[in-house]
Amino acid sequence: MENSLAAIPLANLAIAFLPVFLVLIILVKWSLPTKNTLHALVRMLVQLLLVGYVLSYIFESDNAWVIGLLLLLMIAVSSWIALNNIEQPKIVLFKQTFIAIFISGVFILIVITQGVLHLSPWYQPKVIIPLAGMVFANCMNSVSLSGERFFSERQRAQTYINARNIAFKASMIPNVNALFAVGIVSLPGMMTGQILAGVSPFIAARYQVMVMCMIFASAGLASAIFLRLNKGYK
C-alpha cells in the first residue's frame, strides 16, 4: 500500500456533492427550510479550503504564542457556535460556554498530549491542532445538546437537578452510541485515515482508542461544567 494518498482533483471532489444535492432536493420537496443547510454547506466548503492554506503556514510555525492564540480562537468560535440552537441570549451564555469548553478541552489535551503521546514541545502544530479540533468540536456539540435540553426542561418547570440529569444524559447519547458502534458499524475518521495512508490497522486501532476516550471524556466534562455553571438559571 502506498504511504501517501494521491491528491483529489477538484473535478473529482465535486462528485462528492452529488449525494448532498439529493438531500437538498428532499428538503425542497418536503417543504422544509433549506437556507440554514445551504449556509452550512457553503461555510464548510469555504472554511475547509481556506484552512488548508492557513494550516500549511501554521504547521511550519515554531512559535508557542501563535499556537496558543489559535487554540483560544478555536475555543471562542466553538463556544459561539454551540449556542446556535439554544433559545437564550448568546451574550449571556457565552462566558459559561467558553469556560466549559476551555476547562474540559485544555484538560483533555494535556492528558492526551503529555500523558499518552509525550508530545515535546507541547505546541507541535501537526499534532496539537488536529487533536484540539476534535476535542473542541466535540465539546461544542455536547454543550449545544445539553444546553438546549436543559433550558427546555427548566421552562417546563423541572427542578434544576432533574433538568440537569435529563440534559446530561441526552448530550451523551451520541458518544455512547459511538462507543457501541466503533469497530463494528463504523471505522472512525482517524483510524480510517491512517489505514488509507498505509499505517498498520493494529497501530491505527490504538490511536482510535485514544481518540474515543478523548471524545467521550471531553463531551461529558464540557456538559457537566456548563450545566453546573447554569445552576442559578430560573
Side-chain angles (χ1 to χ4, degrees):
M1 183 181 291
E2 296 292 334
N3 290 328
S4 61
L5 297 176
I8 301 176
L10 291 178
N12 290 10
L13 185 61
I15 297 174
F17 283 89
L18 292 177
V20 174
F21 290 137
L22 291 177
V23 176
L24 292 174
I25 290 172
I26 292 172
L27 290 172
V28 172
K29 289 290 185 180
W30 289 3
S31 300
L32 296 172
T34 58
K35 182 178 179 181
N36 193 49
T37 303
L38 286 171
H39 182 210
L41 286 169
V42 172
R43 278 190 58 172
M44 175 275 295
L45 179 61
V46 173
Q47 287 170 181
L48 286 179
L49 291 178
L50 285 177
V51 81
Y53 292 101
V54 174
L55 288 179
S56 297
Y57 162 75
I58 294 176
F59 280 179
E60 296 179 0
S61 173
D62 193 33
N63 190 319
W65 287 102
V66 171
I67 304 304
L69 288 174
L70 178 61
L71 294 179
L72 285 176
L73 176 62
M74 293 168 70
I75 295 173
V77 172
S78 61
S79 299
W80 187 257
I81 295 174
L83 300 173
N84 280 343
N85 295 319
I86 300 177
E87 295 181 0
Q88 299 292 326
K90 280 190 174 185
I91 299 299
V92 176
L93 292 178
F94 180 79
K95 179 181 177 181
Q96 292 95 314
T97 308
F98 185 92
I99 292 172
I101 294 178
F102 179 88
I103 293 176
S104 56
V106 171
F107 172 70
I108 295 298
L109 284 175
I110 290 173
V111 171
I112 295 299
T113 60
Q114 303 307 309
V116 179
L117 300 177
H118 298 289
L119 192 65
S120 181
W122 68 266
Y123 54 86
Q124 287 185 32
K126 289 185 179 180
V127 178
I128 194 71
I129 292 176
L131 291 180
M134 285 189 281
V135 169
F136 296 150
N138 199 63
C139 290
M140 174 188 72
N141 291 332
S142 185
V143 167
S144 184
L145 289 171
S146 63
E148 191 279 332
R149 190 62 181 268
F150 173 76
F151 292 114
S152 295
E153 295 299 328
R154 289 293 276 157
Q155 288 172 1
R156 296 189 184 100
Q158 288 281 0
T159 65
Y160 166 74
I161 298 297
N162 287 340
R164 180 200 66 187
N165 292 349
I166 292 171
F168 185 79
K169 183 179 179 181
S171 72
M172 295 302 293
I173 289 174
N175 296 283
V176 173
N177 286 346
L179 294 179
F180 279 120
V182 66
I184 299 176
V185 178
S186 67
L187 289 180
M190 173 171 276
M191 188 171 181
T192 299
Q194 288 184 316
I195 291 173
L196 289 175
V199 174
S200 165
F202 296 105
I203 301 300
R206 295 182 188 181
Y207 274 90
Q208 192 58 53
V209 170
M210 177 193 77
V211 169
M212 297 307 295
C213 292
M214 182 175 73
I215 288 175
F216 178 84
S218 61
L221 290 175
S223 286
I225 294 171
F226 177 80
L227 293 169
R228 182 63 181 82
L229 290 173
N230 284 284
K231 184 177 181 180
Y233 174 81
K234 303 297 182 181

